[in-house]
Amino acid sequence: MSLKDAFSGLKEELGQDLKSENNTLGSKTKASVAKNSKPPNKTSKLSKPSVEEASPPQKAKRKLGKRSNPEFTQAPAFIRKATHRAVKVKLIMNTEFNDYSELVEALLVQWLEQDK
């Protein structure tokens, strides 16, 4: 008997064993599905919150920023770091302007009105 013949014989036996095992597994799963034909209950053991608890609290609408306002445009400029730091410090101390942008706009408007 050659090695090739022995191998093919083993292969056939193994194939038959696998087929019979698959058949028994298939019949077991079909039987278990038939027993449990009722769909599984998907409800949680935790109680559902009431409608009042489920709704999130109402948030106050935020004011649109300058970036999304079509009346504004970004106008970058290069200034010295020391000047920028001094301006930020003065803006914190002075409550006339809310931010750097308002100060720059006020100064530019003032400059434009000088020529009139």
Side-chain angles (χ1 to χ4, degrees):
M1 178 180 218
S2 71
L3 188 59
K4 187 176 182 179
D5 293 334
F7 181 72
S8 65
L10 286 173
K11 189 176 174 183
E12 286 176 18
E13 287 177 30
L14 183 62
Q16 288 174 356
D17 289 343
L18 286 175
K19 283 181 186 176
S20 64
E21 191 173 313
N22 283 341
N23 287 339
T24 57
L25 286 176
S27 62
K28 286 180 185 177
T29 55
K30 287 177 185 174
S32 67
V33 169
K35 285 181 187 177
N36 300 328
S37 61
K38 192 168 72 172
N41 190 0
K42 293 184 180 181
T43 57
S44 171
K45 292 181 181 180
L46 300 174
S47 63
K48 292 183 179 180
S50 67
V51 176
E52 294 170 8
E53 294 174 348
S55 62
Q58 294 291 333
K59 291 184 179 179
K61 290 186 178 181
R62 289 201 285 175
K63 184 179 167 184
L64 287 179
K66 292 177 185 172
R67 183 178 296 254
S68 57
N69 189 336
E71 294 292 317
F72 287 87
T73 185
Q74 191 172 7
F78 288 99
I79 60 172
R80 290 186 176 81
K81 287 182 180 181
T83 305
H84 189 242
R85 269 192 301 258
V87 167
K88 287 195 294 186
V89 168
K90 195 161 184 179
L91 277 172
I92 292 170
M93 304 302 236
N94 187 352
T95 58
E96 185 179 350
F97 300 104
N98 290 332
D99 62 7
Y100 184 77
S101 297
E102 288 182 9
L103 172 63
V104 171
E105 184 173 3
L107 291 171
L108 290 171
V109 168
Q110 183 182 3
W111 181 71
L112 288 171
E113 289 176 351
Q114 278 181 352
D115 291 341
K116 288 184 179 178

